[in-house]
Amino acid sequence: MSFVSAALVVAEVEARKLRHDPWEVVTRALQPLLWLTVFGQAVARARLLSEQEDYLTFMAPGILAQSVMFTSIFYGLAIIWERDAGILQKILVLPVPRASFVTGKALGAGLRALLQAAVVVTVALLLQVRFHLDLFSLVTCALAVLLGAGVFASLSMLLATLLKTRERFMGIGQVLTMPLFFASNAIYPIHLMPAWLQVLAQVNPLTYLVELLRDTLVDGQRFGVIQDWLVLLAWLVLLQAIVSRRYDRVLL
C-alpha cells in the first residue's frame, strides 16, 4: 500500500505541474500535428505507398504513438533538474520504496501523453481520418497510451541515471528519438523495410504501441492483440526494475 500511495502522490505532483503550465501540452503537440497535416497529406497525395488506399488513416496511429514517445522520452530531464535544484535529495530520504517514485513519474508521463493524444486524435478527425471510436476503443487507446508512455518515460529515467548533465541528456535523447521512430511501423509497413531494419523493428517498443493503436482505432479491434500488450508490459517491468535499482545513482 505504501508503494501505491507514494506512486499516486508523485503522479499527483506531476499533474499539478501540468496544471500550472497547460500550454506545454499545446507546444509539444505541434510536432506530431505537423507530421499529420504536412507530411501525411503530402505522401497521401503523392501516393508513394500504393498499397495504402488511405495513407493518412494508416499513418495517424503512428503519429499518435510518436507523440507519446516524444512526450515521455525527455521525462528524465526533470530528474536531473530536481537533482540540481536539491529536490531529489529530499525525496530519496523518504521511507518509501524507490520503485514508487519511478512508477509515479511514469504515471505522470502517462497523464501528459493522454492529454496530448486527445489533441492529436481531435486534429486527425478534423482531417477526416477514419477512426473507429466507441467506448471500448477509447479505453483501449487510453490504456495503450499510458503503457507506452510508461515504457518511454522509464527509458528516459534510465538515461538520467547514466548521464549527469542536462546538455548531454538532451543530445542523447534527440539521437534516440528519430531512430526509434523510423525503425518502427509508424509511417510505413514493416515488410517494406530492409531485413536488418525489420529485426530492429521487432524489438522496438514503439512498433507494438503503433500496432495496438492501429488495431484499435483503424481496424476496430476492441482490445488489440495480446502479444503487443505483453511485449510493452515486459519492457515496462524490465525498465522499471533497472531504474529502481539505479535511482540513487542520479546523485553520484
Side-chain angles (χ1 to χ4, degrees):
M1 291 301 296
S2 63
F3 170 84
V4 174
S5 60
L8 291 177
V9 168
V10 174
E12 181 187 5
V13 171
E14 297 299 319
R16 289 183 180 182
K17 292 179 183 178
L18 185 59
R19 187 180 63 183
H20 291 301
D21 187 17
W23 283 103
E24 182 182 352
V25 176
V26 178
T27 55
R28 288 185 179 273
L30 289 178
Q31 187 174 26
L33 294 183
L34 286 174
W35 276 92
L36 271 178
T37 57
V38 179
F39 181 84
Q41 289 193 316
V43 173
R45 289 178 179 273
R47 298 189 180 277
L48 298 180
L49 297 178
S50 57
E51 62 185 72
Q52 302 298 332
E53 296 182 0
D54 187 353
Y55 178 72
L56 197 59
T57 299
F58 171 83
M59 177 186 173
I63 300 304
L64 177 56
Q66 180 209 47
S67 72
V68 173
M69 180 184 68
F70 281 9
T71 298
S72 308
I73 201 69
F74 292 105
Y75 215 72
L77 189 63
I79 295 179
I80 298 178
W81 179 86
E82 290 174 354
R83 181 203 63 192
D84 295 342
I87 299 174
L88 188 62
Q89 291 86 335
K90 298 176 182 179
I91 292 176
L92 290 178
V93 299
L94 296 176
V96 292
R98 294 287 182 266
S100 62
F101 296 116
V102 180
T103 302
K105 291 285 187 182
L107 285 173
L111 292 176
R112 292 171 183 257
L114 278 176
L115 292 175
Q116 187 165 315
V119 175
V120 174
V121 169
T122 301
V123 173
L125 293 176
L126 292 176
L127 294 174
Q128 297 183 341
V129 171
R130 294 195 292 269
F131 279 161
H132 293 273
L133 294 182
D134 55 33
L135 179 61
F136 288 100
S137 63
L138 289 175
V139 170
T140 302
C141 180
L143 291 176
V145 167
L146 285 173
L147 183 56
V151 170
F152 292 110
S154 301
L155 175 61
S156 179
M157 287 184 278
L158 177 59
L159 292 177
T161 66
L162 300 171
L163 307 171
K164 304 307 178 183
T165 65
R166 281 173 278 185
E167 294 78 12
R168 186 172 297 177
F169 181 92
M170 288 294 294
I172 296 298
Q174 290 174 352
V175 167
L176 280 178
T177 51
M178 297 315 291
L180 284 172
F181 178 53
F182 287 112
S184 74
N185 57 348
I187 56 176
Y188 36 68
I190 291 181
H191 70 266
L192 295 180
M193 302 177 183
W196 63 271
L197 192 56
Q198 292 185 26
V199 174
L200 294 179
Q202 295 298 331
V203 297
N204 185 354
L206 187 64
T207 296
Y208 298 93
L209 177 58
V210 173
E211 286 185 354
L212 270 180
L213 295 174
R214 190 169 285 146
D215 289 344
T216 303
L217 296 175
V218 177
D219 298 334
Q221 297 183 23
R222 286 188 170 182
F223 302 107
V225 179
I226 187 64
Q227 177 185 352
D228 298 331
W229 291 105
L230 292 177
V231 171
L232 285 175
L233 187 60
W235 269 108
L236 180 64
V237 171
L238 176 63
L239 290 171
Q240 288 264 308
I242 296 174
V243 176
S244 299
R245 294 180 63 88
R246 292 189 53 87
Y247 203 68
D248 293 347
R249 294 182 176 270
V250 180
L251 300 178
L252 300 180

